[in-house]
Amino acid sequence: MSGLTAFVREIFQCQEDVAHCIAKAATERGYRPGAAIVRQGDQCDETFLLTVGRARASAVGRDGASVLLHDFAPGDLFGATVRPTAPSDVDVTALGVARVAVFIALDFLRLMERHNCIGMVLSRLLLARLKTANKRLVDRNTLSAVGRIHAELLRRAEPNGWSISPPPVLAALALELQTTRETVSRTVSALERRGLVRRTAEALIIVAPRRLESLVD
């Protein structure tokens, strides 16, 4: 079993023959840190399955401001998954060394029709992204800037054993939460002084998640 076939089998929870069929339809590509995988406004007729590394989706509004939308991890799908050959709404950039399995979008749609395991995974991913987007919208309208920072740190750390790795870039976090880098820096430093978080070269670790949760306001 090839490496991509094994990865596909794990992500889609399918039989080996199905995984082989899906993997055979893909072409693998590698990207250097900071490289553009998808460009906003370009015609996009490919579906991407992230297999190694992380990537980030962002968009530039009419006012020229950049908005961070999603961080992608291995197993995430993006690109033209349901609207082949439409202009991309977002930029997707590799955060480090990244690899993707690339499908022609129409081929991917045919695979979805043939193998319901793909549709199930895509549905779960889209629902998770919708839930995250709704939560951020609520937080933006109900929480202070400091509260949004606390909530976002908890959101990122909880699925990973209360560890955010690599540590968040403060300027990017500020942009995502629509606040200033100085506010993020002061907030994280205050949490460190109180012993609620700990920073290492590899990660930002939430030491006391329940205490941090109590500060979300």
Side-chain angles (χ1 to χ4, degrees):
M1 193 188 315
S2 72
L4 181 57
T5 298
F7 182 85
V8 166
R9 184 177 184 183
E10 179 182 355
I11 293 301
F12 294 109
Q13 293 295 292
C14 57
Q15 298 297 319
E16 184 175 345
D17 60 335
V18 174
H20 177 71
C21 176
I22 296 170
K24 190 170 63 173
T27 301
E28 293 189 85
R29 293 181 194 161
Y31 293 88
R32 293 175 294 180
I37 301 174
V38 178
R39 295 185 186 276
Q40 184 178 359
D42 285 358
Q43 289 294 115
C44 184
D45 61 357
E46 294 175 323
T47 300
F48 300 85
L49 171 65
L50 188 62
T51 59
V52 175
R54 302 184 71 85
R56 173 167 292 160
S58 61
V60 177
R62 292 182 180 178
D63 59 358
S66 180
V67 179
L68 302 184
L69 301 172
H70 306 290
D71 278 352
F72 299 120
D76 280 337
L77 290 156
F78 55 89
T81 51
V82 292
R83 288 193 306 156
T85 65
S88 174
D89 297 326
V90 300
D91 289 317
V92 181
T93 305
L95 294 182
V97 174
R99 288 190 65 80
V100 294
V102 186
F103 302 83
I104 299 299
L106 287 174
D107 291 344
F108 190 77
L109 286 174
R110 293 188 186 103
L111 287 169
M112 285 179 60
E113 292 172 352
R114 198 177 310 152
H115 307 295
N116 60 10
C117 60
I118 300 177
M120 292 295 292
V121 168
L122 182 58
S123 296
R124 286 197 295 268
L125 289 172
L126 293 176
L127 286 171
R129 288 176 199 169
L130 180 60
K131 182 179 178 180
T132 298
N134 286 341
K135 181 66 167 59
R136 286 177 175 167
L137 180 62
V138 171
D139 288 350
R140 195 169 295 155
N141 287 281
T142 59
L143 298 178
S144 65
V146 172
R148 294 200 301 274
I149 296 165
H150 293 160
E152 183 65 14
L153 293 178
L154 287 165
R155 185 191 68 79
R156 294 190 183 192
E158 184 177 8
N160 304 303
W162 303 111
S163 176
I164 305 171
S165 180
V169 176
L170 300 186
L173 189 59
L175 184 62
E176 184 172 349
L177 298 177
Q178 296 188 342
T179 186
T180 65
R181 186 191 184 285
E182 291 73 19
T183 300
V184 175
S185 180
R186 285 197 304 269
T187 301
V188 174
S189 294
L191 294 174
E192 284 188 279
R193 288 194 300 272
R194 297 175 65 175
L196 303 185
V197 305
R198 177 165 52 87
R199 272 193 280 195
T200 69
E202 294 78 25
L204 177 70
I205 301 164
I206 309 295
V207 178
R210 297 294 170 259
R211 288 176 61 195
L212 180 56
E213 188 175 6
S214 71
L215 298 178
V216 176
D217 58 12

